[in-house]
Amino acid sequence: VRQKLIENGDEPELLEIKKQEAMLRSQLNEIERAKARVLATRRLRIGIVGFGRFGQFLAKAFIKGRHEVSVLSRSDRAAAAAEAGCFSYLSLGDDDDILDFTAQNLDVIVMAVSIVSFEDTLRCLQQALKSSSPSPLITDVLSVKEHARKAMLTHLPNSASILCTHPMFGPDSGRDTWRSLPFVYDRVRIHDDAIDRCERFLSIFESEGCRMVQLTCRQHDVYAANSQFLTHLIGRTLGETGLSLRKTPIDTKGFESVLRLVETTCDDSFDLFYGLYRYNTHSKSTLLCLRKALADLELRLIDLDLQAEAMTAGGSTSKTSQQLPSSRNIDNADDKQHEQAGVWRNVQTAPTTPNNAVDGESPSTTTIFATTSNTAASSS
């Protein structure tokens, strides 16, 4: 029997491992069924403040999960709320409507407004939430987390529980499925009476297959500056170059990815892009680092160009007295040499945060350079 197992490639040890794997899968499936039974015992009453594209996207998902959704929005989205199957629709511009909204004994209130209007919206809800009993769990879905955390701690009553979240997807990327898409969360302040509601709310995203990522708000913003803001920055920059980027008959896979990047980032509102810059303190460093990197690359190209021209003219690279200094040594080069090269000017010295500065490392200082308008003429 052992010989046959060996011939079939199934060693007894491997069979034992497969048995254990099957048993663990069975146990996991039973746990998931038990969890589903507990969650089904009580659906959440969820209030959504702000009913733009993302608010509607969330509402449809919550209603699909048989949760009751009420809407509070400044714009007239009554028709969209009715079409989605929302329980009620009220106006954020009406004080009586705000009181009615918070008086619905909501389990969770999701703040789905824009970054730039977030703090003003909290102020509008402040008085109504103070008289709300029991106090609902307040959560946000902003793309910046330190700003959201500070604003909610400042403007919400102490009785309110606070959960900061960021679904790292939207109506486009999450249109078909949420499976394996990251969902970031930070339990900022969860009172005992809100623990169950908090876990039930998070389970909505767990059940849809999201990859749950628990991070502090600061950690999120450091990572987001080097990922989400950088993505939007490059997409917006390419979209505004005036190159009329469009499909061609000879597109590479890389260029197709570039076109998709430009399309998805430019489809989002400029308010979102500005919010990522204005309300994430780490984004400015990312912008300056990118500016320096672009200057670095252009400097290297011009340097090689000058060397090639000198060699073509019969000279040697050692005689290229006008060779530009490398960016590593450019801080030590004198201003006269910069003027002779006619290419670079010192535009700003600014602190930059290293990519891995998550745990409080000291920022470094980097000198940023930019090209003048006559770069091409100077290099020739």
Side-chain angles (χ1 to χ4, degrees):
V1 173
R2 177 178 170 79
Q3 184 61 34
K4 287 182 179 180
L5 289 171
I6 293 174
E7 289 174 358
N8 293 332
D10 288 328
E11 290 279 3
E13 182 181 1
L14 180 57
L15 285 177
E16 184 59 32
I17 292 173
K18 287 183 176 180
K19 288 179 182 178
Q20 293 177 9
E21 182 182 35
M23 183 168 40
L24 289 173
R25 288 186 187 279
S26 177
Q27 291 175 352
L28 179 59
N29 289 336
E30 179 54 39
I31 290 172
E32 289 179 343
R33 286 192 293 270
K35 177 183 174 182
R37 286 193 297 270
V38 171
L39 291 174
T41 58
R42 188 169 76 84
R43 303 299 178 180
L44 293 173
R45 290 182 297 275
I46 302 174
I48 297 180
V49 181
F51 208 57
R53 192 163 176 246
F54 196 79
Q56 293 176 41
F57 171 66
L58 288 178
K60 291 173 184 176
F62 296 156
I63 292 169
K64 180 183 174 183
R66 299 173 59 191
H67 300 284
E68 183 183 286
V69 174
S70 296
V71 174
L72 184 68
S73 179
R74 192 173 299 279
S75 302
D76 185 4
R77 311 278 188 180
E83 183 181 350
C86 296
F87 176 75
S88 68
Y89 173 86
L90 295 164
S91 173
L92 183 57
D94 188 310
D95 290 343
D96 290 335
D97 275 9
I98 293 175
L99 288 172
D100 290 343
F101 177 78
T102 57
Q104 293 182 87
N105 198 24
L106 299 169
D107 295 307
V108 183
I109 293 179
V110 180
M111 302 294 297
V113 296
S114 68
I115 300 172
V116 294
S117 64
F118 183 72
E119 199 160 8
D120 286 340
T121 305
L122 286 177
R123 291 190 184 98
C124 291
L125 298 176
Q126 196 172 35
Q127 284 302 120
L129 288 173
K130 285 181 180 178
S131 58
S132 179
S133 181
S135 184
L137 168 70
I138 312 294
T139 183
D140 79 294
V141 290
L142 293 192
S143 299
V144 292
K145 297 271 61 81
E146 286 186 290
H147 170 65
R149 179 183 183 276
K150 180 180 178 182
M152 287 195 286
L153 287 173
T154 300
H155 299 294
L156 294 179
N158 292 331
S159 59
S161 293
I162 299 171
L163 173 70
C164 281
T165 77
H166 183 195
M168 305 292 292
F169 52 90
D172 295 322
S173 56
R175 179 176 56 250
D176 300 321
T177 180
W178 294 2
R179 185 161 297 281
S180 299
L181 298 177
F183 180 88
V184 180
Y185 66 97
D186 183 11
R187 299 182 183 91
V188 175
R189 183 176 70 198
I190 308 297
H191 297 304
D192 290 345
D193 63 349
I195 292 175
D196 181 68
R197 285 175 285 156
C198 178
E199 296 310 311
R200 286 177 183 272
F201 181 76
L202 291 175
S203 292
I204 295 173
F205 300 89
E206 290 174 353
S207 300
E208 290 294 327
C210 290
R211 179 164 57 86
M212 308 298 287
V213 184
Q214 185 171 3
L215 290 175
T216 66
C217 292
R218 182 177 182 277
Q219 286 173 324
H220 167 279
D221 281 6
V222 171
Y223 293 140
N226 289 334
S227 58
Q228 188 182 26
F229 174 70
L230 184 61
T231 299
H232 280 259
L233 176 62
I234 292 174
R236 289 269 176 189
T237 300
L238 292 174
E240 297 185 14
T241 55
L243 296 177
S244 299
L245 298 176
R246 58 182 180 273
K247 291 183 178 180
T248 74
I250 58 171
D251 287 353
T252 62
K253 292 295 183 183
F255 185 68
E256 288 176 355
S257 298
V258 168
L259 291 178
R260 285 196 299 271
L261 173 65
V262 173
E263 181 182 0
T264 54
T265 53
C266 292
D267 275 352
D268 287 323
S269 69
F270 198 84
D271 272 356
L272 171 62
F273 181 54
Y274 175 68
L276 292 172
Y277 170 79
R278 174 69 177 84
Y279 295 102
N280 185 339
T281 58
H282 309 280
S283 292
K284 293 178 178 64
S285 295
T286 297
L287 176 60
L288 293 177
C289 285
L290 180 61
R291 185 187 299 171
K292 181 183 183 298
L294 288 171
D296 233 5
L297 288 172
E298 188 173 3
L299 181 60
R300 289 172 64 186
L301 292 171
I302 294 172
D303 190 1
L304 290 172
D305 211 14
L306 291 174
Q307 292 182 44
E309 289 178 1
M311 293 181 68
T312 302
S316 65
T317 55
S318 61
K319 294 180 181 180
T320 310
S321 60
Q322 294 300 320
Q323 180 176 331
L324 292 174
S326 70
S327 62
R328 298 179 191 84
N329 302 322
I330 203 165
D331 287 349
N332 300 322
D334 57 43
D335 293 336
K336 184 177 180 181
Q337 187 176 17
H338 293 169
E339 292 174 4
Q340 289 174 342
V343 178
W344 299 95
R345 62 186 173 88
N346 190 335
V347 294
Q348 189 173 8
T349 299
T352 61
T353 305
N355 289 345
N356 61 349
V358 175
D359 297 317
E361 296 93 341
S362 299
S364 61
T365 300
T366 305
T367 303
I368 311 299
F369 291 86
T371 56
T372 60
S373 59
N374 61 342
T375 297
S378 300
S379 63
S380 61

